[in-house]
Amino acid sequence: MSQRVVLITGALTGIGRAAALGFARAGHAVVISGRHEETGEALAAELRDLGAEAAFIRADVRREAEVAGLVDQVVARFGRLDAAINNAGTEGRPGPVTEQDAESYAATFDTNVLGTLLSMKHELRVMLARGSGSIVNISSTYGHDGAGGASVYSASKHAVEGLTRSAAIEVAATGVRVNAVAPGPTDTGMLDRFTGTAERKAGLTAGVPMRRVGEPGEIANAILFLASDQASFTTGQVLSVDGGKSAA
Ligand SMILES: NC(=O)c1ccc[n+]([C@@H]2O[C@H](COP(=O)([O-])OP(=O)(O)OC[C@H]3O[C@@H](n4cnc5c(N)ncnc54)[C@H](OP(=O)(O)O)[C@@H]3O)[C@@H](O)[C@H]2O)c1
């Protein structure tokens, strides 16, 4: 097929879902991945209603066999992989450093860091063989700033930025690009779980220079740009989409 094919992990909610809708509207074939069969099939049907070719493939990004199988199934079904959005992520168990332990570390790092690493490994296997492709990882404002009360999450997103830059350098001469988008507070289930109360959400919003949180579609727009040929000379970059938070 000549249509561009995009794979999105953690695609069933929030930013991933908005990106899936955006790629479908832009004429891509969209493979959405996640852990919930029913929600996944429903979103795939919604994408097909927009005129896109779409498929749901179940995978937990912490498991290498599932990630390898996911990428293999994309290629078997669609024949190519042009863009991959490594969006699956978790806020883990927020709280002060003194309350963290090996379990809370693994609950965050296994998805955010190992998941991104395994996803890139298998996506690159396909993209390098073809000599083209674009990977967009999802970091966070906390991926380059400290975050009291969210140290492990912040550390995991720092790791995502390190992985992004390192992988980008490794493959830069091959025609494959690797970038990241770093959202500020964005109106998704994760933000609601992370803040817990309306007061804490309002407090976080007050710290954004634009005085509002982002909409998932606003993050998706930046993801679409980095994935596209419009960003053909851009690699190893982290694009902040955060209402001015990282400029403050
Ligand atoms: N919202 C924000 O304010 C914000 C700010 C900065 C960065 N981000 C980042 O943006 C990305 C998307 O988050 P979101 O805000 O859209 O929240 P979200 O709605 O909770 O989306 C996260 C998605 O990742 C999936 N996921 C979690 N663990 C997974 C695993 N092991 N394997 C496969 N899928 C898994 C979740 O599905 P399950 O239901 O299966 O858990 C969920 O669909 C994340 O990487 C997040 O860290 C968000």
Side-chain angles (χ1 to χ4, degrees):
M1 76 155 40
S2 59
Q3 200 178 17
R4 287 170 71 97
V5 178
V6 61
L7 165 64
I8 307 169
T9 68
L12 309 190
T13 60
I15 293 167
R17 179 184 157 81
L21 292 167
F23 278 109
R25 290 192 187 103
H28 290 63
V30 185
V31 180
I32 47 170
S33 184
R35 300 190 285 187
H36 309 281
E37 197 86 34
E38 209 173 305
T39 317
E41 293 298 351
L43 178 57
E46 202 176 328
L47 299 173
R48 284 193 286 269
D49 284 346
L50 292 172
E53 282 205 54
F56 167 71
I57 300 174
R58 200 198 165 284
D60 185 322
V61 298
R62 298 171 297 181
R63 306 206 172 105
E64 180 156 14
E66 293 187 22
V67 175
L70 168 64
V71 172
D72 289 344
Q73 285 179 68
V74 173
V75 176
R77 187 143 172 197
F78 293 95
R80 53 194 279 178
L81 176 62
D82 297 280
I85 316 306
N86 298 321
N87 166 78
T90 177
E91 70 278 16
R93 199 179 76 202
V97 168
T98 49
E99 289 173 15
Q100 301 304 318
D101 53 31
E103 264 176 37
S104 66
Y105 170 87
T108 310
F109 268 69
D110 283 359
T111 293
N112 295 1
V113 185
L114 180 61
T116 301
L117 175 63
L118 295 175
S119 298
M120 283 204 297
K121 172 182 171 180
H122 289 283
E123 292 153 2
L124 285 173
R125 173 163 60 79
V126 171
M127 291 176 174
L128 291 176
R130 219 171 134 237
S132 71
S134 177
I135 291 176
V136 181
N137 296 322
I138 306 302
S139 179
S140 165
T141 317
Y142 293 166
H144 36 270
D145 293 339
S151 57
V152 178
Y153 178 80
S154 169
S156 76
K157 292 299 189 178
H158 275 72
V160 167
E161 296 195 3
L163 286 170
T164 299
R165 294 191 183 95
S166 303
I169 292 165
E170 286 179 13
V171 304
T174 70
V176 179
R177 297 181 297 106
V178 185
N179 292 288
V181 167
T186 305
D187 211 357
T188 70
M190 181 179 289
L191 185 65
D192 289 337
R193 291 190 301 274
F194 179 69
T195 52
T197 65
E199 292 73 32
R200 286 180 55 191
K201 192 171 176 180
L204 206 71
T205 306
V208 179
M210 287 178 78
R211 298 287 183 265
R212 66 174 181 86
V213 298
E215 290 301 322
E218 294 179 298
I219 311 302
N221 288 340
I223 294 170
L224 261 79
F225 164 68
L226 283 176
S228 78
D229 289 343
Q230 298 294 311
S232 54
F233 198 47
T234 302
T235 198
Q237 300 306 305
V238 178
L239 175 56
S240 290
V241 186
D242 61 5
K245 202 164 185 333
S246 53

